[in-house]
Amino acid sequence: MARPIDTQETHTSEVAPEPVGPYPHARRVGNLLFLSGLGPRKRGSKEIPGVRMNERGEVVDHDIEVQTRSVLENIRIVLEEAGSSWNQIVDVTCFLTDMKRDFTGFNKVYGEHFTDNRPTRTTVEVGALPTPIAVELKVIATIE
């Protein structure tokens, strides 16, 4: 019989943006740290970096490079608070809401941040994300 996973090995950041659902920012299983999807939001703010909205609260434009930098900053925060680090990232799943428009800018910023460590990566287009953002990343890292 398989040993049950210790559900107490979770981490919820006090600095990264609050999860939009009932889940932690990260969960450790053995020597792996699984991060929940993170977007560019900032903790305690309704404003989203790189998003311009109209008076009705609808997105009228977004800057994928600004959003990507913010997402990567949020990932770094969660990794370090949970006891891992940027160089321990082994896999990244990227979600973009407009691949045709945003892939080049996203890939540029991503490449600037992953110069030494080159984790595996999958990038997919999705119809929408839970908040008015254009990019979200899900990360797996090692942890000691």
Side-chain angles (χ1 to χ4, degrees):
M1 185 171 201
R3 182 177 77 85
I5 296 171
D6 181 356
T7 58
Q8 299 305 308
E9 294 185 53
T10 62
H11 173 75
T12 300
S13 174
E14 302 263 334
V15 180
E18 302 88 340
V20 296
Y23 53 84
H25 283 111
R27 180 172 183 176
R28 180 183 182 155
V29 178
N31 71 334
L32 294 177
L33 184 68
F34 297 85
L35 271 62
S36 296
L38 282 162
R41 295 179 307 111
K42 295 297 174 197
R43 185 171 197 87
S45 173
K46 294 188 187 291
E47 192 172 317
I48 300 169
V51 173
R52 193 165 51 89
M53 301 179 108
N54 63 21
E55 61 281 347
R56 293 184 304 280
E58 302 163 330
V59 175
V60 294
D61 195 20
H62 68 266
D63 183 325
I64 195 64
E65 292 185 21
V66 169
Q67 284 198 34
T68 302
R69 282 187 183 89
S70 184
V71 169
L72 295 173
E73 177 184 324
N74 288 338
I75 287 169
R76 186 179 302 272
I77 289 167
V78 173
L79 283 170
E80 291 176 359
E81 284 186 357
S84 189
S85 72
W86 192 260
N87 288 332
Q88 290 176 269
I89 296 173
V90 295
D91 185 64
V92 182
T93 304
C94 312
F95 304 94
L96 299 175
T97 58
D98 191 337
M99 187 78 73
K100 186 175 183 180
R101 172 189 162 158
D102 294 334
F103 183 77
T104 301
F106 165 77
N107 210 38
K108 174 183 169 247
V109 174
Y110 183 96
E112 292 168 358
H113 287 78
F114 287 99
T115 55
D116 296 328
N117 181 25
R118 308 287 275 188
T120 58
R121 183 180 103 178
T122 301
T123 305
V124 296
E125 181 176 85
V126 296
L129 291 163
T131 59
I133 59 176
V135 59
E136 179 174 291
L137 272 64
K138 177 162 183 32
V139 168
I140 301 171
T142 59
I143 187 169
E144 300 181 22

